[in-house]
Amino acid sequence: MRIGVFIFLNILGLINIAIKGNFSEIIRCVRINGFVKSEKTLYEHPFVINGASDLIKKNLKKKGLHTRTAIGVSSLPFNASVEVDAIFLTK
């Protein structure tokens, strides 16, 4: 869950830049895609991405309802442990 908080804060910071701090511009969160670097034996990828997903739903209420994908991969750019992209609909 802790990594989900950091993912959420990064997403929130990027949204803040895009909408220039006016959060009323957000119509809804459409989708979150998460890639988790892991060994072949890890099957808990969704739990890593769920942290961010749950926080978005909790903070944005109905506007935060979205689809989510969690995928395990053997490597990520710059040796990152998690990569997330999010699609938001704004005014």
Side-chain angles (χ1 to χ4, degrees):
M1 174 77 169
R2 277 185 261 166
I3 196 162
V5 173
F6 294 116
I7 294 167
F8 171 72
L9 290 174
N10 278 332
I11 291 170
L12 192 63
L14 291 170
I15 293 168
N16 187 44
I17 291 167
I19 61 176
K20 298 175 177 65
N22 185 0
F23 282 89
S24 65
E25 292 286 312
I26 296 173
I27 296 172
R28 68 182 218 107
C29 178
V30 177
R31 182 175 183 83
I32 295 176
N33 298 312
F35 300 90
V36 181
K37 180 179 166 185
S38 65
E39 299 292 325
K40 289 181 184 180
T41 57
L42 179 72
Y43 301 104
E44 299 169 341
H45 313 103
F47 295 114
V48 176
I49 307 304
N50 281 353
S53 186
D54 292 345
L55 284 170
I56 287 171
K57 288 186 280 188
K58 182 178 179 179
N59 284 277
L60 296 178
K61 310 291 187 230
K62 286 184 180 181
K63 292 181 179 184
L65 297 177
H66 58 273
T67 60
R68 180 197 46 76
T69 302
I71 300 168
V73 296
S74 62
S75 67
L76 286 168
F78 305 109
N79 202 28
S81 57
V82 177
E83 182 177 316
V84 175
D85 70 75
I87 300 171
F88 282 79
L89 182 62
T90 61
K91 295 179 186 175

